[in-house]
Amino acid sequence: MKTGSWTADWAVALVICLVFGAAALLRLDVLESLERVAYDVGVSGSARTPSERIAVVAIDDQSISNLGRWPWPRNIHAQMIDTLHAGGAKVVGNLVFYSEPQIDPGLKYIEKLRAIYAAAGVRIPALGRQLDEAGKALDNDTVLAASLARAGNVVLPMTFEIGEPQGNPDAPLPDFVARNAVDDVRRAPGDDAPVQPPPARAAQTPPIAQIGSQTLAIGHLTQLLDVDGGSRKEALMLRYYDQYFPSVALQLAAKSLNLSPADIQVTLGEGVRLGGLNIGTDPHLRMNTFFYSGDGDKPAFSVYSFYDIYSGRIPAEKFRDKIVLVGASAAGLGNLSKTPVAAAMAPVETLAHTVSSILEEDFFVVPQWSGYAELGAWMLISLYLILLFPHLRAGTALGVTGVLLIALLAAHFVLMTRQALWVSLMMPAALLVLGHGLLTTKRFLVTERGKLASDADSAESNRMLGLAFQGQGQLDMAFEKFRKCPLDDSIMDLLYNLALDFERKRQFNKAGAAYQYMSDHDPKFRDIAKRISRSKIMEDTVMLGSAGTGSATGTLLLDGEGVQKPMLGRYQVEKELGKGAMGVVYLGRDPKINRVVAIKTMALAQNFEEDEIDEVKERFFREAETAGRLNHPNIVTIFDAGEEHDLAYIAMEFLKGQDLTKYTKADRLLPVDKVLKIVVQAAEALDYAHGENVVHRDIKPANIMYEADSESVKLTDFGIARITDSSRTKTGMVLGTPSYMSPEQLSGRKVDGRSDLFSLGVMLFQLSTGQLPFKADSMASLMYKIANDAHPSPMDLRPDLPPCLTSIIDKALAKLANERYSRGAEMARNLRACAELVTA
C-alpha cells in the first residue's frame, strides 16, 4: 500500500461510513432525535380528517373557577354522566381516577347520629327516614355508582407499572378489571417466540369496587413517552403476567362499534384486529398515532367546557351518538405531553387523536421492507462518498449531494404524507451531510491551505486584511495581520491609528501592547513614550462609556501622568472584579466615609430592547429596594442603587470570600460537617427572607459566598433573577439555572419560599456528592426529569454520607411543594441535628 493512502478521500469516507454505521446500530440519541424531528414534521404535513363522532369535555380553568378546587365531589361527576346519558351519548370515556373512596365529612356525622338514634331506643320514623336520606345524599361514591349503572356506557381508566414481573402478583385482579382482558391472543404461523407487548408488573389506580363494578369497561391509560417527553405511540395492549389488557382508546373504539373484548383479536408481533378494523402496529403492538392538525385556529376536535355542559349552557343533545371524552386540561391537573402537532397537549386531547386514529384507520405503519430500504439508502450514500465524491469537483459534488439529500427527504415525507408509511431515512441523510462536510473540509485543509497561507502571508495581503478587519471593528485580528507586515513608516502609521482605536474602546492593555511593539522598532515615533506610560496607568482603571455612543464619561485624563478615576453615582470606581450575566462588577469606594463596596451594573441599552428599558428599570429598582430591606448576617447588605450613563447599578457589601462553585467538584468537596454548617446558615437566611415576603428564585452555589477562615456564608443576588425573568435580552437568554429550579418554577407556576428550599436541596446534594441530582442531554429532558423522576440516593454516590443527610435531601427535593420543608428554619433544625450526629 502506498504511503499516505489512508489520508486519501476514499479512505476517510470509508472510516466515516463505518463509524456512522456503528453509531446507528448503537442507536445514539442524537440520531434518534433526528428521526423524531423528521417524524413530527411528517405528521404535521399529513392531512387527514378526524372522526366527527368524537367530542371532548374539558375540565378547564373556567370549570375549576366555577365549581371549586380539584378534586370535586363525585356527585358533580355523577351529574355530568347523567346529563350525557340523557343527551344520548354513545359511549363516555371518563379519564378521572376513582381509586380511593371519597368520604364526605358530613357523612361521618350522619353515621354518628344514626348510632345515637339506634342506641336511644326511641323510634321516630320521620327522623330515621331523614337520616337515611341524608346518608344517601352524602354518599357520593354510591351516587356516582348509581349514575354509572343508569348510563351503562362509561369507560374508566387505570394504570399499570411498566416492568417485567419478577414473581407472581400479590393478589388476583378484581373481577370487574379481569373481565376486560382479551382472550383471543394468537401467534403468527411459524413464530414460536413472538415479540410481546410492553410488560406490567403491578396494577395501579383501579377504580374502587363500588364504582368499577358499574362501568361498561376499563382500559389502561399508561403512557409510554419517548426520551424527549413526547407522546407518539399508543400501547394498544399491555401484558400483565399471562393476561392482555387493552388501552382506554381501544376500549372506547370497541364500545362505539358495539364490540366487547371478545371481539378484539391480537396477533403477537404483528397487530390488532377490532371487528372489521385492522390496526397496524409495531411488533410490540404499539400504534403510531396520527395527530390531526386542525383547521387554522380551530382545533381538530370539538372541545367543550365541563362547566358549560354542567350548567346547561350547552345542551346535552349535542352529544347524541358521540364518543365523549371527559378529562382535565386545566393548568396543574395531569401531565401535559409533547406531540407532533403541539408542544404541550392534555391527555384527554391525546386520547381523542388516538381513538380517531383507530376508528379512521389513520396511523403510521413501519412496512416490513423498511429495514431493507434503510440499509439500501445507507449503502447508496456510502458508495457515493467512497467511490464517486473523491473524483468530483467541489461545485459538482455539492450539486450531487443536494440532489441526493432532496431525494431522501422527499421519499421520507411522500411516504408519510401520502402512504402513511414511516421509513427511517434520516440516518442516511445525516451521513450524507456530515460526510460531505468532513470530506470538503479535509480537501480544503490538505490541498488548498498551503496556497491560501502563502497568499495571506504576503505583505500586501496582510495589510489589506488588517485594514478590512480594523474597518469591521475586529481590532485583534487587524493587529495580528499588521504584525506580519515589514515595519516601515506606512505600517507604523497604521499601527498608531490601530492603537488609538484600542484606546477608544477602552482596551488600554491592548493599546499599550501596540505602542510597545512600535517602540521596539522606533522608540521616538511621535508621542509613543508618553502613550505607553498612560496606557500602563489606565490598564487598572475602569472606563465607563455611555451606551450607544462609545464616548467616555466620568473620567478625565489630567495633564502629565495623572488620571482621575471615574465616578458612578457617589462611588469612586477602583477596578473591575468580574463579569456577570447582565453586566460588570466593580470594586468601588465611598469617598465620604471611606467604605469599600462592590458595584454590580446592568447595561440597560445593551441587554434590552428600547421598548423594554423603562419596565426593566422599574423592576430593577423595585427588586433592589426589596433586597435592601433585608438585614441578616448571612445576606449581603445592599447600600444603594442608582442609574448613570444608561447603567443601572447596585452598591453592596464587599465580600472577601469565594462562591461555592469550586466546592461542587468531586475532588474539591468540603467535609460533611462544614457542608452542613454552610447550608444551615443559608437555610436560616432564606427563612428570614421568606418571612419578609422575599423569594430568591436563583439559589445555586454561584450565588452563595463563603469565607473559609471565618466559615461565614452570605447569600447574594436576591431578586436579580426576577428582574429579567419576563424580559428578553439581546441574546435571547433568560436568567436562572434550570438544574437548580423547582418543578413549579420550571412550569411557570407561582413560586414561594419552598421553591428556594428545593434549590437549596439540589445544592446540598451537589456539595455532598459532587454531582447534580438531575442531569440530561437536553433542556426538555432535564425539565421532565426534575418534574417527574426521583433523584438518586446520595448514599449510592457516596456511601460514607450519614443517613440523616439523605433524609433531609429527600424532603427538600419532594416534587410537591406541600411535601417539602415549610420553612427554612425547619430545615436548619434538621441540619443542626444531623451535624451533631456527624460530629459526635
Side-chain angles (χ1 to χ4, degrees), residues 389-568:
F389 185 93
H391 303 288
L392 298 178
R393 293 179 177 271
T396 305
L398 181 62
V400 175
T401 297
V403 170
L404 290 174
L405 181 61
I406 292 172
L408 288 172
L409 296 177
H412 171 84
F413 294 118
V414 168
L415 287 172
M416 287 199 73
T417 57
R418 300 295 178 85
Q419 304 297 324
L421 298 177
W422 180 25
V423 180
S424 301
L425 295 176
M426 292 306 102
M427 190 279 287
L431 171 61
L432 176 63
V433 173
L434 182 63
H436 180 99
L438 291 177
L439 289 173
T440 301
T441 302
K442 177 257 179 190
R443 181 181 293 178
F444 171 80
L445 293 176
V446 173
T447 63
E448 300 183 23
R449 182 175 55 183
K451 181 177 180 298
L452 291 175
S454 176
D455 293 341
D457 284 338
S458 68
E460 184 61 19
S461 295
N462 280 317
R463 190 180 74 85
M464 296 302 294
L465 286 171
L467 288 171
F469 284 132
Q470 185 176 2
Q472 296 168 8
Q474 299 183 51
L475 305 186
D476 291 330
M477 295 295 294
F479 190 27
E480 179 183 344
K481 295 302 176 184
F482 287 153
R483 282 191 298 181
K484 293 182 179 180
C485 299
L487 276 176
D488 54 24
D489 290 342
S490 64
I491 297 300
M492 290 286 282
D493 287 334
L494 294 177
L495 284 168
Y496 188 88
N497 291 330
L498 177 65
L500 294 178
D501 281 349
F502 276 127
E503 287 186 356
R504 293 185 187 99
K505 287 198 170 187
R506 307 298 174 245
Q507 297 175 349
F508 295 101
N509 58 332
K510 296 180 180 179
Y515 290 134
Q516 188 61 53
Y517 179 75
M518 298 166 62
S519 178
D520 292 341
H521 175 72
D522 184 3
K524 296 182 180 180
F525 184 81
R526 297 192 185 180
D527 58 348
I528 281 183
K530 180 177 179 181
R531 291 198 173 273
I532 289 176
S533 177
R534 288 193 175 187
S535 297
K536 288 180 179 179
I537 295 174
M538 294 300 295
E539 282 181 10
D540 293 330
T541 302
V542 180
M543 302 295 289
L544 302 175
S546 178
T549 66
S551 62
T553 58
T555 298
L556 270 178
L557 294 178
L558 302 180
D559 292 337
E561 304 298 333
V563 176
Q564 177 181 314
K565 293 185 177 179
M567 300 292 291
L568 193 55

Side-chain angles (χ1 to χ4, degrees), residues 124-247:
I124 305 175
L127 178 58
R129 287 194 300 274
Q130 287 297 322
L131 289 174
D132 290 341
E133 291 177 6
K136 291 179 181 178
L138 293 175
D139 189 354
N140 288 328
D141 286 342
T142 300
V143 172
L144 178 57
S147 295
L148 293 172
R150 285 192 298 272
N153 67 343
V154 179
V155 176
L156 291 181
M158 66 176 291
T159 59
F160 287 86
E161 180 184 354
I162 299 299
E164 196 68 46
Q166 301 299 316
N168 293 319
D170 294 333
L173 293 173
D175 291 339
F176 62 85
V177 175
R179 71 189 182 197
N180 294 277
V182 174
D183 296 325
D184 190 357
V185 180
R186 311 177 181 184
R187 295 182 178 182
D191 190 357
D192 295 331
V195 178
Q196 294 284 350
R201 56 179 170 230
Q204 299 175 318
T205 64
I208 60 175
Q210 184 179 7
I211 293 175
S213 60
Q214 303 301 322
T215 59
L216 174 64
I218 296 175
H220 82 79
L221 195 65
T222 306
Q223 281 189 310
L224 301 180
L225 301 179
D226 291 328
V227 175
D228 63 346
S231 177
R232 299 176 178 86
K233 297 178 183 290
E234 170 75 5
L236 295 180
M237 305 295 299
L238 288 183
R239 175 173 58 88
Y240 179 71
Y241 294 88
D242 58 348
Q243 295 177 296
Y244 297 82
F245 287 93
S247 67

